Amino acid sequence: MYTVDSSERVGNGQTGGPDILLGAADPNGTRLFFTTNPGLESVVENELGQRLQEAGTPIVQVVKKPFGFGGQVLAECEGHLPSLEAVVLQMRSVHHVQIPLHGFALLYGEHDLRQIERELEALTVEAMVEAKKFRVTTKRTGQHLFTSMDVQRAAGAGLQRKYGCAVGLANHDVNIRVDVYDRICLVGLQLSKKALSNRYRRRSQPRAALKAPVAYALLQWAQLRPDAKGALLDPFCGSGTILIEAAQLYPHLELHGCDIDARAVEGTRVNAAAEGIEDRLHLSQGDTRKLSAAYPAGRFGAIVTNPPYGIRFGQHLNFYHFYRRILQECWTLLDEGGMLVIVVFKRTEFCRALVQLGLFKNIEERVVETGGVFPAVYVLQKVAAVDQSAIE
């Protein structure tokens, strides 16, 4: 897998962050700022490196979490827009892409909004010169005396005074990001018109559906190559995000999904049909704790899944026994050396079962934000069973 040298620098809460973003840039290069789910920063780094390498555009530097907050990646690349824009707007691991324009520390407390307004009015934004309508979008992290809406109003007022441009929340030519991270304010030009993660036409949308970038990351951690063949299983398919993402990435892979909930299976089928890939998926209803009765041993090269954590199985579920049985079934269904990538919300119970069974080698463990919670993702590889009783 292509990787690039990187370093993690953390702004000191006052001026460190802006120094990173606004230091002297290579005049022949472009700085890009990406947002993603916290925990996926290295996935963004690798995907960006691979895509730019294929385009013949080197990366000068990558900084993960430049302000110390997860879900942010800053990159300095050789080359200029629009050639870079055409590449990065195809990325699957990110939500938004923006060009950093300006950054500054908030210094005045109760007068922060006035400072934001003045900074935006003094800022030169070439894209605003010809724009007829613009909007300001804000994400705010930390404790402040103002809301995100307050920031948008203050920044918008400053830009309107300078450029005389009308505000258009829906039909706008330019989207200016004014994001606040504790005492640091970052101003950027958003390149993505809508979130790149909203790439599927979902007809069925459960409350806890995975975001597409997380599904992409899970598949990358399964070490699947673009030309991968064989079969992949998601035994808790939910609304089908993992399978739909896999169908987009791996044209030769046989894709199987099941779920104990018939509504989830039908939801996956409906969502796959909306993407025109229903013929790629083999779906069935079934209990993952009994899957070895439905599939032959060694049927799959990879299992990638996001099990429920009490909602569909009941709040009184014994998670140790649940995870133990899932690990046994997945071991049986995987081919020799096969990969299991699984999202885990009850880490203590899962680790206890994992260690006691000894059926998998723990390749990697990561913490990823999804749906406002922070489960662990385990990347496991099947090993030969030392104790045969572990699979009985």
Side-chain angles (χ1 to χ4, degrees), residues 210 214 218 305-307 323 341-345 370 375-378:
L210 279 179
V214 178
L218 299 179
T305 194
N306 174 33
Y323 284 132
V341 179
I342 183 169
V343 181
V344 174
F345 286 84
T370 175
V377 176
Y378 287 83

Side-chain angles (χ1 to χ4, degrees), residues 36-99:
T36 187
N37 289 65
L40 302 189
E41 297 84 12
S42 63
V43 179
V44 174
E45 178 184 28
N46 283 330
E47 184 188 9
L48 178 65
Q50 290 170 338
R51 288 185 180 275
L52 291 183
Q53 184 182 53
E54 293 169 0
T57 303
I59 294 179
V60 177
Q61 184 184 26
V62 173
V63 181
K64 295 175 286 189
K65 298 189 281 189
F67 298 119
F69 294 103
Q72 305 170 356
V73 177
L74 171 69
E76 187 167 328
C77 314
E78 292 187 6
H80 297 289
L81 298 176
S83 58
L84 277 174
E85 185 175 2
V87 175
V88 299
L89 290 183
Q90 298 299 313
M91 290 184 63
R92 308 184 76 89
S93 60
V94 304
H95 296 299
H96 283 291
V97 185
Q98 59 179 284
I99 300 175

Side-chain angles (χ1 to χ4, degrees), residues 2 28 131 304 313:
Y2 178 87
N28 297 315
V304 180
F313 281 90

Side-chain angles (χ1 to χ4, degrees), residues 167-314:
V167 174
L169 297 181
N171 300 314
H172 51 271
D173 305 303
V174 177
N175 188 353
I176 302 296
R177 298 285 313 207
V178 184
D179 297 322
V180 180
Y181 305 106
D182 281 342
R183 303 302 298 164
I184 294 171
C185 186
L186 172 64
V187 183
L189 175 65
Q190 184 168 293
L191 299 179
S192 40
K193 298 296 183 183
K194 68 173 185 177
L196 301 180
S197 51
N198 294 338
R199 52 181 171 266
Y200 299 133
R201 298 177 295 274
R202 292 182 185 271
R203 299 293 184 265
S204 175
Q205 177 71 55
R207 288 183 302 169
L210 279 179
K211 292 289 187 181
V214 178
Y216 173 85
L218 299 179
L219 293 164
Q220 297 304 299
W221 290 328
Q223 302 177 17
L224 295 167
R225 298 175 57 87
D227 59 351
K229 298 181 180 179
L232 175 142
L233 170 67
D234 179 0
F236 298 96
C237 63
S239 62
T241 305
I242 292 172
L243 293 173
I244 294 171
E245 188 74 12
Q248 305 284 352
L249 293 169
Y250 310 110
H252 308 296
L253 202 59
E254 188 178 312
L255 302 173
H256 292 256
C258 69
D259 202 289
I260 195 171
D261 188 342
R263 294 169 298 180
V265 176
E266 182 58 26
T268 295
R269 198 184 313 277
V270 168
N271 287 336
E275 295 299 315
I277 59 168
E278 65 271 28
D279 293 340
R280 289 284 314 275
L281 306 189
H282 305 273
L283 302 175
S284 62
Q285 182 184 1
D287 188 340
T288 305
R289 294 167 291 189
K290 303 175 182 178
L291 277 184
S292 56
Y295 296 101
R299 177 70 175 85
F300 300 101
I303 297 175
V304 180
T305 194
N306 174 33
Y309 48 101
I311 296 175
R312 278 188 279 154
F313 281 90

